[in-house]
Amino acid sequence: MGQAENFGSGSVGRTITKTVFCALVLALGVTTLGGCGPSSAKVGRYTVSVSPTGVAADQAYDVDIFGVASEGEFAGWGPSEVAGHFAGGSMQAARDGRKPVTLHWEVGDSSTKQLLVSDPMWDTWIDRGAWYLVIASNREFVTGQGARQPARPIVLPLDKRRWKTNVLTIAVEGSGLQLTTRKEPLPE
């Protein structure tokens, strides 16, 4: 009978040891597999290629590209805010503070222009906490009501998970700026 008690208490000890061992192995496995899930957000640098593909070269215009920490303010920009950005005068300080890279087209110029991935301005924007890229143009487009005004800007995430390429392509079209590179959904 004494032997049966020893066997029973030894069995309980082995069961506890096995349970603890299995829990540790399970925790290690979950931790390891956790790395296989969605990756964390990381800021990327990209070559931004702007092509006036769908618009007549009948006016000189600029395209400003600049990095920002939050998309909220700029995603809500309408034609008047874009016009104010390019207005100069008392508004020039605000534009300069955004540290844009300006691509310029003269009348008759239909060439593609680029902000390169190696441009040192990327360091400035990222050091300032940029997670989004704003692309705005003072090129005037004719609205459905016949008015001439600049189009809304494009605000792009710099999150590497959103792009399968490091070249983001923008078309200047008859109705405004259009992103032609496919943006990926956020991983779940």
Side-chain angles (χ1 to χ4, degrees):
M1 204 167 201
Q3 212 173 14
E5 283 180 29
N6 283 343
F7 178 76
S9 83
S11 176
V12 169
R14 282 191 298 263
T15 301
I16 291 172
T17 303
K18 286 181 180 178
T19 302
V20 169
F21 177 76
C22 287
L24 288 173
V25 168
L26 181 62
L28 179 63
V30 167
T31 303
T32 303
L33 290 176
C36 296
S39 60
S40 60
K42 293 181 184 162
V43 173
R45 299 164 191 250
Y46 305 91
T47 292
V48 180
S49 181
V50 182
S51 300
T53 57
V55 68
D58 61 348
Q59 61 179 284
Y61 61 95
D62 292 329
V63 171
D64 272 6
I65 303 169
F66 54 96
V68 296
S70 172
E71 72 177 320
E73 174 188 355
F74 302 97
W77 269 16
S80 62
E81 289 85 4
V82 173
H85 171 78
F86 288 100
S90 63
M91 302 297 287
Q92 189 62 40
R95 181 180 181 188
D96 291 344
R98 294 180 184 113
K99 305 279 187 205
V101 168
T102 302
L103 306 177
H104 179 74
W105 282 263
E106 288 292 336
V107 173
D109 185 358
S110 61
S111 65
T112 297
K113 301 191 187 295
Q114 295 183 325
L115 164 69
L116 297 175
V117 69
S118 59
D119 192 295
M121 193 53 74
W122 282 106
D123 293 330
T124 301
W125 296 331
I126 291 171
D127 289 348
R128 292 170 61 170
W131 277 95
Y132 296 90
L133 195 66
V134 177
I135 299 131
S137 177
N138 64 350
R139 186 177 199 308
E140 293 184 337
F141 300 93
V142 178
T143 68
Q145 293 80 27
R148 293 179 66 89
Q149 63 186 23
R152 294 183 170 275
I154 295 176
V155 182
L156 303 175
L158 294 176
D159 185 343
K160 287 183 175 184
R161 300 173 300 171
R162 302 301 299 272
W163 310 102
K164 287 188 176 182
T165 179
N166 69 344
V167 178
L168 307 180
T169 307
I170 307 297
V172 181
E173 297 187 348
S175 60
L177 301 172
Q178 299 296 324
L179 172 66
T180 59
T181 303
R182 184 177 190 282
K183 181 171 56 172
E184 299 296 321
L186 277 174
E188 294 182 23

